[in-house]
Amino acid sequence: MADVPPTRMNQQIFKGKLKAANGGHRLLKKKADALKVKFNDYAKNIALTKTSMGSDASTAFFSLTQAEYAAGNFKQKVAEGSMSARVRVGAGVDNVAGVKLPVFTKYETGITQDNQSLGLVGGGKKIVAVKEKFTVMLDMLIKLASLQTSFATLDEALKVTNRRVNALENVTIPKIQGILDYISRELDELEREDFTRLKLVQGAKEKEEKARAKEMEKKKARDLAMGIDNKENEEDITARYDAADDADVLF
């Protein structure tokens, strides 16, 4: 605080800083609240997705067992076919209170299957059921990956925002307020010193005037004692002369 000169200009500057800090704290607090609400929503969705995913995975693998029982071991035939992906995952961005969260979405590549003959001998319906079950499971996996990635990003952003809110609330704003209090105290002290100085100057002038008045009274008393009359000095000199006695001036 000693490094800050206690002036009116600095007082106005730090008042502006305090206003900006309070505004930033208010906005960051709102952002932290919004992120916390979204954070809780993601946590709830992750829990629900994991719960439903357990039953979906169990159903999908049970369906695979049924298909293998009906159509035989067709995994080799699938591995011998084209390995080009029919489904790919794209990444997008979701903006939540200024925080960019990754969002994963599934899209079709348009590649046709070359193993359409699977299940012609038997078990075709079971194989189709397996495809449907694992497609649902893939959707759930993509959704879970998107939720967990966004959850981790949101958690980090929430921690940073909370640290900033705490820094403003516990460090920056109290420091600025302390400097303002220091400047106010120093300015009040300077005003009191100026007031005291003015009173002293005024008192000195009054004493000087009183002393001068006493000196004048003493001088008059001395003059009266010596028989000196000052009334002659106070008379009008022109009163001794008459304007009618002057001769006319001709031009």
Side-chain angles (χ1 to χ4, degrees), residues 3 7 11 60 105 111 146 162 221:
D3 297 336
T7 60
Q11 188 180 36
T105 55
I111 298 176
S146 179
N162 286 331

Side-chain angles (χ1 to χ4, degrees), residues 5-15 183 187:
T7 60
R8 296 288 179 186
M9 182 179 294
N10 283 333
Q11 188 180 36
Q12 294 300 320
I13 290 173
F14 279 93
K15 280 184 178 179
I183 292 175
L187 290 176

